[in-house]
């Protein structure tokens, strides 16, 4: 699954609820037809804005509903953050200090970011709410070890 873009904003809630209900129905149907998935992988943008203070609690409930509908334990729901899962409020103040990372030339330089305490602190701050969601679900966070 990908790009649910959950929002607590009333605009678009009707369509959002339709999509969530349809996904739950589809997961139940697949599970009831002996095609139960081993896991659910959510590949980013579970929320529309990580700065929406209420939405991560709702996201947790929805992911738990998805797991129940699929007949799997909630620790079998794996998450990978997307750009909308990052706090824009946290990115803004630190943007000048991370511009130096835009000119990385090779894979070794990219991999070296995990050793940069400044960069790790930045990523941890930007994805703090997302990381809390993943920890509440008791699952691992795919695609990054820095959270």
């Amino acid at each position: 699954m990908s790009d649910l873009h959950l929002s607590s904003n009333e605009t678009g809630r009707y369509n959002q609820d339709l999509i969530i209900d349809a996904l739950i129905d589809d997961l139940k149907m697949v599970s009831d037809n002996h095609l139960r998935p081993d896991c659910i992988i959510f590949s980013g943008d579970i929320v529309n804005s990580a700065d929406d203070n209420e939405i991560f609690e709702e996201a947790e409930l929805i992911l738990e509903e998805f797991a129940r509908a699929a007949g799997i334990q909630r620790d079998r729901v794996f998450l990978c953050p997307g750009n909308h899962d990052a706090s824009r409020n946290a990115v803004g103040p630190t943007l000048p200090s991370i511009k130096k990372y835009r000119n990385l030339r090779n894979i070794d330089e990219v991999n070296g970011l995990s050793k940069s305490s400044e960069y790790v602190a930045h990523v941890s701050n930007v994805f703090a709410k997302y990381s809390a969601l993943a920890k509440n679900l008791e699952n691992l966070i795919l695609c990054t070890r820095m959270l």
Side-chain angles (χ1 to χ4, degrees):
M1 296 182 178
S2 183
D3 296 277
L4 197 52
H5 290 272
L6 293 174
S7 174
S8 63
N9 184 333
E10 288 302 314
T11 306
R13 277 306 292 220
Y14 174 75
N15 291 333
Q16 183 174 289
D17 291 342
L18 284 175
I19 291 167
I20 291 167
D21 291 344
L23 281 169
I24 290 169
D25 289 345
D26 286 349
L27 287 167
K28 286 178 182 175
M29 182 184 66
V30 167
S31 183
D32 289 345
N33 286 322
H34 307 291
L35 298 172
R36 178 174 295 145
D38 293 325
C39 66
I40 294 174
I41 299 173
F42 203 95
S43 62
D45 293 344
I46 192 162
V47 300
N48 193 51
S49 170
D51 297 315
D52 182 340
N53 290 323
E54 302 168 13
I55 200 60
F56 279 96
E57 290 175 17
E58 184 176 350
E60 183 177 351
L61 295 173
I62 289 169
L63 289 171
E64 287 175 350
E65 265 191 87
F66 288 167
R68 270 194 305 278
I72 61 174
Q73 297 295 313
R74 71 185 209 163
D75 66 349
R76 302 299 301 157
V77 178
F78 298 97
L79 306 175
C80 181
N83 63 318
H84 284 261
D85 301 315
S87 169
R88 300 295 191 258
N89 290 337
V91 170
T94 59
L95 198 54
S97 69
I98 64 166
K99 284 188 177 180
K100 61 186 169 195
Y101 299 118
R102 291 187 176 175
N103 296 319
L104 300 174
R105 294 179 300 271
N106 59 52
I107 193 68
D108 292 328
E109 289 180 3
V110 172
N111 288 335
L113 289 176
S114 67
K115 295 178 180 86
S116 164
S117 60
E118 176 190 29
Y119 189 77
V120 170
H122 168 72
V123 170
S124 296
N125 187 37
V126 168
F127 288 101
K129 291 180 186 173
Y130 182 89
S131 184
L133 167 67
K135 287 176 184 168
N136 286 345
L137 290 171
E138 300 170 358
N139 67 18
L140 65 104
I141 303 170
L142 299 177
C143 301
T144 180
R145 287 180 286 165
M146 291 187 272
L147 301 179

